[in-house]
Amino acid sequence: MPVLDLSASSVDLTRAICDIPSVSGDEVALADAIDAVIRPLSHLTLHRDGDTIVARTELGRAQRVVIAGHIDTVPVNGNLPTRDVVVDGEPHLWGRGTVDMKAGVAVQLKLAAELVAPRVDITWMWYDHEEVDADLNGLTRLSRTRPDLFAGDFAILGEPSGGEVEGGCNGNLRAVVRTHGVRAHSARSWIGENAIHRAAPILARLAEYRPRDVAVEGLTYREGLNAVRIGGGVAGNVIPDLCEVEVNYRFAPSRNADEASRHVRSVFDGFDVEIVDLAEGARPGLDAPLAQEFVAAVGAVPRPKYGWTDVARFSALGVPAVNYGPGDPHLAHHDEERVPLAQIEAVERGLRSWLTAH
């Protein structure tokens, strides 16, 4: 089993956990390594659910902060093991997971080990299956079995935010829009009805669609509605009787799940529409006192989170939450994924100073 050294720097710890591959569904080696170094720490109580690990201080503080990060990554594509690179004169760590989001997890693990007496009680969460369907997410599973572990006054998710604070997040909806036809031999195409040809209006509506910019509590979220996959066809000499266009809708947190679903169905009115995945967004949550303290302490200017993150889970439970982690979110899932070393260190300093200030 890989062995982690929590006395190492957060940069070296990032390198170590990135070099333990943990593509969604294969997180057990990293989860075991985290369990092995966190379980012996006497100032933390540990709960494990599958490959999700929760460690809590029980100091009787007046407030509790939940700090979470996912340990899985999207598939590796020739970008492991990690290596040191210099970009525009600045040292970076390159490789899968450096941005999304093992640098954030490394900072959390180091602080979990070292902050024996923080000014607030802390619940640390490291969880599996974030990069896949919402129903597989480790936090989804944990919320069913141990909802009490989510209790807190404020939550921080270590998603990449360039070392800045990103409030809330867009919602995420996936739908399959179908057209139907009649099979026939392609030599006698007039006998059939071509389902692929019938999909042309779907693509036209997407091409003509103009997404909104939506202001929510002082932050402006950008929406998007896009085709992400198209499938159809039976054989090279058969008129197809089915075509499916998968559509992804990123919607501002001003809309709830029902409103987002109705909007997508209205855009594709007249077609067979199936919603296959849906996760609500989260409002910024920056009006909470602890959130305001945190933003001031790290000297950040809050901005919106365009992608969906698990801050939405905390928001749904009434816990205000923000994203704060090293790494440029534009490089998440990119084959050239890389994180500035200085940014890892800066996020560690920011969290440490806020959690230990008196």
Side-chain angles (χ1 to χ4, degrees):
M1 182 179 73
V3 177
L4 299 177
D5 178 6
L6 299 188
S7 68
S9 70
S10 52
V11 168
D12 287 340
L13 194 54
T14 300
R15 184 178 291 107
I17 66 173
C18 286
D19 285 339
I20 304 173
S22 57
V23 174
S24 304
D26 192 25
E27 298 98 327
V28 64
L30 180 54
D32 286 347
I34 292 172
D35 188 315
V37 290
I38 294 295
R39 190 173 292 275
L41 300 176
S42 60
H43 65 284
L44 296 172
T45 60
L46 187 143
H47 172 80
R48 181 164 179 175
D49 183 309
D51 292 329
T52 290
I53 297 166
V54 179
R56 293 162 53 92
T57 64
E58 303 287 357
L59 299 169
R61 302 291 198 238
Q63 295 172 305
R64 177 173 291 277
V65 174
V66 184
I67 303 178
H70 65 83
I71 63 173
D72 62 320
T73 72
V74 296
V76 177
N77 188 26
N79 47 7
L80 281 183
T82 56
R83 66 174 186 259
D84 291 295
V85 298
V86 176
V87 179
D88 296 329
E90 185 177 5
H92 287 65
L93 183 64
W94 173 96
R96 175 64 77 226
T98 52
V99 171
D100 194 9
M101 55 162 287
K102 290 184 175 181
V105 169
V107 167
Q108 294 169 6
L109 289 170
K110 184 166 181 62
L111 294 179
E114 295 181 358
L115 300 186
V116 177
R119 71 183 185 96
V120 292
D121 269 313
I122 305 174
T123 299
W124 304 97
M125 290 182 167
W126 301 291
Y127 60 99
D128 58 290
H129 283 91
E130 191 272 349
E131 298 289 7
V132 288
D133 287 355
D135 61 345
L136 298 175
N137 189 299
L139 293 189
T140 300
R141 186 177 65 248
L142 193 65
S143 67
R144 295 173 183 146
T145 59
R146 290 294 304 274
D148 56 298
L149 295 177
F150 289 79
D153 301 284
F154 179 50
I156 301 169
L157 198 67
E159 287 281 357
S161 64
E164 300 294 335
V165 174
E166 293 184 332
C169 68
N170 276 337
N172 183 30
L173 178 153
R174 287 190 303 114
V176 174
V177 187
R178 297 185 176 91
T179 56
H180 302 273
V182 177
R183 289 192 193 187
H185 196 295
S186 60
R188 300 172 181 83
S189 59
W190 60 90
I191 302 299
E193 297 176 8
N194 195 311
I196 292 178
H197 294 181
R198 287 183 170 183
I202 297 173
L203 301 180
R205 292 183 195 186
L206 286 166
E208 294 166 1
Y209 185 87
R210 294 296 176 263
R212 306 182 307 163
D213 288 352
V214 184
V216 182
E217 297 174 13
L219 300 182
T220 301
Y221 294 84
R222 299 182 65 181
E223 295 192 331
L225 181 66
N226 293 281
V228 293
R229 184 184 65 85
I230 186 166
V234 180
N237 60 353
V238 178
I239 299 301
D241 60 344
L242 176 66
C243 183
E244 296 183 328
V245 180
E246 184 173 332
V247 175
N248 183 221
Y249 179 39
R250 300 292 176 142
F251 57 97
S254 56
R255 277 183 169 151
N256 62 30
D258 288 341
E259 291 167 335
S261 297
R262 287 197 297 271
H263 177 69
V264 169
R265 292 186 187 280
S266 71
V267 171
F268 301 108
D269 185 42
F271 289 96
D272 174 6
V273 178
E274 179 187 3
I275 308 298
V276 295
D277 193 31
L278 178 56
E280 293 204 12
R283 301 183 78 87
L286 295 169
D287 53 349
L290 274 177
Q292 293 175 357
E293 289 179 22
F294 174 68
V295 169
V298 300
V301 177
R303 59 193 187 193
K305 187 69 167 178
Y306 297 130
W308 187 90
T309 76
D310 281 302
V311 294
R313 299 185 186 279
F314 293 100
S315 178
L317 294 169
V319 180
V322 299
N323 303 278
Y324 177 67
D328 180 351
H330 291 95
L331 291 176
H333 304 183
H334 199 287
D335 285 345
E336 293 301 319
E337 195 172 346
R338 59 185 182 269
V339 61
L341 306 189
Q343 211 167 86
I344 301 174
E345 295 164 345
V347 168
E348 180 191 340
R349 285 195 303 272
L351 277 173
R352 185 188 298 274
S353 64
W354 180 65
L355 291 169
T356 57
H358 294 284

